[in-house]
């Protein structure tokens, strides 16, 4: 396994101080799969205070110190270095009650969730694979390290993580792991909304989200109980559309669509999604059926919603099998006709000067926009003012 220079530097500095650093988890898995690596996590056989001393000349961020993580900035890269850990007992299916540092790589690897996530790679490039992770990668299997039932009882988030990795990597969940995760699914209610939502997003964006959402509907419904009310066929159809979108937000909106915008909003609040995610998902569900018959209407939608949302709406409508209309044309070529009142070459003050007052001003600007956006009226000061004067006459 080859490491980027900044990771080699981190490993070398640790070595110079008598410590041993290993790349662990996702970066080893993704490298062996030939996939792009998100980020390199390092594990080290010394406690965090010692890690900090190794990097005396570097910027060190202490945010994860309690859990043994020291972040070191090397060549502008944040490198997370976590001390080998044993997780103490679990009493709440959520977080270990305590963590203890250990000099044993084996102990650190056996606390990890799945065999494909429990491999390490030392400075010399050799892979340490104590639980058959390479074989499981070969066979495309998600399998717990150790007894799956015990592992899901320790931390119920792993249930959703199994689904997430299966969806993202297009893997199957090994039989015993699958049975244990179903049996323990109810414990997901103890997990914080934020942790669940982070995993759900990755699941929804995964290449095989559709089969995972369908096969593990029971587990998904523990996280989103509102979905349990849907008839089977409707759920399956929504899961299918969702799974083909490859984007967390669009996929979520597709899954929530049969529930309607109001319930979608409730679900977002329960999952504590960020506001942008919630508002956009609700927007997509509300606007999915609007047909834009003329370019003017489409242009005003563009002005009102913004280009980003309109582009998402197009992808959403396309996934739902809706026909292209003027919105597609305007997004492809917005031209320079006005899309919102601010684009008009007259202002509220110009309109007020003609004698309009109060709400009449905004109404008149809107009337002008409708015609100018359609291309019926030039977006130039004199014709716009003339049109407004004519409107007074009416
Ligand atoms: P990604 O590329 O999506 O970040 P990852 O494998 O790095 O994938 P993370 O969630 O960043 O996933 O976790 C890093 C590693 O920490 C995992 O590979 C796994 O070894 C371990 N891990 C994370 N969460 C858990 C957990 N809940 N239980 C056990 N081990 C975990
Ligand atoms: Mg990671």
């Amino acid at each position: 396994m080859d490491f980027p220079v900044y990771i080699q530097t981190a490993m070398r500095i640790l070595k110079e101080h008598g410590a041993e650093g290993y790349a662990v988890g996702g970066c080893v898995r993704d490298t062996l799969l030939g996939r792009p690596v998100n980020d390199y996590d390092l594990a080290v056989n010394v406690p965090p205070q010692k890690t900090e001393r190794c990097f005396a000349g570097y910027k060190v961020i202490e945010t994860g110190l309690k859990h043994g993580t020291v972040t070191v900035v090397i060549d502008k890269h944040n490198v997370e270095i976590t001390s080998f850990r044993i997780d103490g007992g679990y009493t709440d299916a959520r977080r270990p009650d305590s963590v203890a540092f250990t000099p044993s790589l084996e102990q650190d690897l056996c606390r990890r969730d799945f065999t494909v996530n429990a491999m390490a790679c030392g400075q010399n490039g050799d892979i340490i694979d104590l639980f058959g992770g390479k074989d499981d990668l070969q066979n495309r299997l998600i399998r717990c390290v150790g007894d799956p039932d015990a592992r899901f009882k320790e931390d119920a988030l792993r249930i959703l993580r199994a689904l997430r990795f299966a969806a993202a990597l297009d893997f199957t969940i090994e039989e015993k792991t699958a049975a244990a995760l179903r049996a323990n699914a109810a414990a997901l209610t103890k997990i914080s909304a934020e942790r669940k939502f982070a995993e759900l997003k990755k699941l929804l964006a995964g290449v095989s989200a559709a089969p995972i959402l369908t096969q593990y509907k029971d587990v998904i419904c523990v996280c989103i109980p509102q979905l349990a009310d849907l008839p089977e066929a409707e759920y399956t159809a929504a899961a299918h559309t969702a799974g083909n979108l490859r984007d967390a937000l669009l996929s979520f909106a597709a899954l929530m669509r049969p529930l309607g915008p109001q319930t979608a909003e409730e679900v977002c609040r329960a999952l504590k999604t960020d506001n942008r995610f919630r508002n956009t998902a609700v927007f997509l569900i509300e606007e999915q059926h609007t047909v834009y018959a003329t370019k003017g209407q489409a242009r005003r939608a563009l002005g009102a919603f913004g280009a980003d949302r309109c582009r998402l709406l197009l992808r959403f409508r396309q996934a739902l099998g809706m026909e292209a209309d003027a919105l597609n044309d305007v997004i492809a070529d917005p031209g320079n006709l006005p899309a919102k009142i601010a684009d008009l070459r007259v202002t509220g003050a110009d309109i007020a000067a003609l004698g309009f007052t109060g709400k009449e001003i905004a109404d008149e600007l809107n009337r002008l926009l409708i015609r100018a956006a359609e291309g019926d009226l030039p977006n130039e000061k004199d014709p716009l003012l003339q049109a407004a004067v004519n409107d007074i006459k009416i």
Side-chain angles (χ1 to χ4, degrees):
M1 185 170 165
D2 294 329
F3 297 114
V5 173
Y6 63 95
I7 293 296
Q8 290 176 28
T9 306
M11 286 179 160
R12 179 174 49 73
I13 291 172
L14 288 168
K15 184 97 181 170
E16 282 165 8
H17 289 78
E20 203 76 57
Y22 294 84
V24 283
C27 64
V28 181
R29 178 196 69 223
D30 290 340
T31 302
L32 291 176
L33 282 172
R35 291 168 62 96
V37 170
N38 265 346
D39 51 10
Y40 287 83
D41 291 318
L42 294 185
V44 67
N45 64 343
V46 294
Q49 292 74 16
K50 165 88 187 185
T51 313
E52 278 193 276
R53 286 201 296 274
C54 295
F55 294 92
Y58 288 81
K59 183 174 177 200
V60 170
I61 306 160
E62 289 188 344
T63 37
L65 210 55
K66 219 172 45 187
H67 298 103
T69 303
V70 171
T71 305
V72 183
V73 185
I74 303 175
D75 299 342
K76 299 196 177 123
H77 293 273
N78 282 12
V79 183
E80 285 200 355
I81 308 177
T82 305
S83 301
F84 292 169
R85 247 168 52 180
I86 305 173
D87 292 338
Y90 288 78
T91 45
D92 60 358
R94 274 197 296 221
R95 293 262 189 208
D97 302 333
S98 61
V99 300
F101 302 120
T102 167
S104 156
L105 173 62
E106 179 172 355
Q107 281 182 315
D108 183 77
L109 293 179
C110 75
R111 74 171 170 89
R112 293 176 185 272
D113 46 10
F114 307 111
T115 59
V116 294
N117 287 348
M119 290 181 277
C121 182
Q123 203 180 3
N124 61 6
D126 292 346
I127 306 278
I128 295 115
D129 174 20
L130 306 176
F131 309 102
K134 269 192 200 163
D135 286 347
D136 285 339
L137 277 186
Q138 192 75 38
N139 298 316
R140 309 182 78 78
L141 284 176
I142 297 297
R143 180 199 310 270
C144 281
V145 171
D147 172 35
D149 189 62
R151 300 312 306 282
F152 292 133
K153 284 197 162 67
E154 282 172 2
D155 178 2
L157 186 69
R158 291 173 188 153
I159 295 166
L160 208 48
R161 286 175 61 83
L163 268 50
R164 178 271 260 206
F165 286 114
L169 303 173
D170 188 24
F171 277 28
T172 308
I173 303 176
E174 176 274 332
E175 215 175 299
K176 289 204 180 83
T177 299
L181 75 79
R182 281 189 207 280
N184 287 287
L188 272 169
T189 52
K190 296 185 200 168
I191 301 293
S192 77
E194 292 87 345
R195 288 181 86 205
K196 278 188 287 203
F197 179 55
E199 296 296 336
L200 266 177
K201 274 200 289 194
K202 295 184 182 173
L203 190 171
L204 288 166
V207 280
S208 48
I212 294 296
L213 288 170
T214 316
Q215 287 163 36
Y216 294 95
K217 180 185 174 199
D218 47 344
V219 180
I220 300 298
C221 287
V222 177
C223 301
I224 308 176
Q226 291 86 342
L227 284 170
D229 300 334
L230 283 183
E232 198 66 28
E234 221 174 319
Y235 175 87
T236 308
H240 239 88
T241 311
N244 290 329
L245 279 156
R246 307 283 155 82
D247 171 276
L249 173 57
L250 287 167
S251 172
F252 177 83
L255 194 62
M256 292 300 110
R257 194 176 76 94
L259 299 174
Q262 206 180 327
T263 307
E265 176 163 3
E266 270 169 36
V267 171
C268 287
R269 291 199 188 275
L271 288 172
K272 303 211 171 119
T273 73
D274 54 89
N275 292 344
R276 183 189 159 268
F277 190 97
R278 184 184 68 241
N279 294 336
T280 314
V282 170
F283 160 79
L284 291 171
I285 297 169
E286 277 174 344
E287 292 299 324
Q288 57 176 320
H289 291 306
T290 309
V291 174
Y292 296 91
T294 69
K295 284 196 181 182
Q297 282 172 12
R299 219 164 264 128
R300 281 182 289 130
L302 179 63
F305 303 142
D308 288 348
R309 276 188 166 196
C310 285
R311 270 189 223 105
L312 280 175
L313 183 59
L314 287 190
R315 284 170 66 192
F316 193 58
R317 300 192 318 173
Q318 191 186 8
L320 300 176
M322 287 186 49
E323 294 203 9
D325 61 21
L327 190 60
N328 298 64
D329 302 335
V330 165
I331 294 292
D333 177 15
N336 42 25
L337 293 176
K340 49 188 187 301
I341 284 178
D343 298 336
L344 288 176
R345 297 271 157 75
V346 289
T347 63
D350 297 328
I351 299 300
L354 300 176
F356 290 86
T357 55
K359 191 174 166 300
E360 287 168 15
I361 299 171
D363 288 347
E364 182 54 28
L365 285 168
N366 256 318
R367 269 195 292 274
L368 296 176
L369 175 65
I370 289 171
R371 293 179 55 196
E374 206 64 73
D376 293 346
L377 178 66
N379 186 22
E380 286 156 28
K381 194 159 185 165
D382 286 343
L384 288 168
L385 288 177
Q386 188 55 54
V389 169
N390 290 343
D391 283 340
I392 302 176
K393 288 180 192 147
I394 293 164

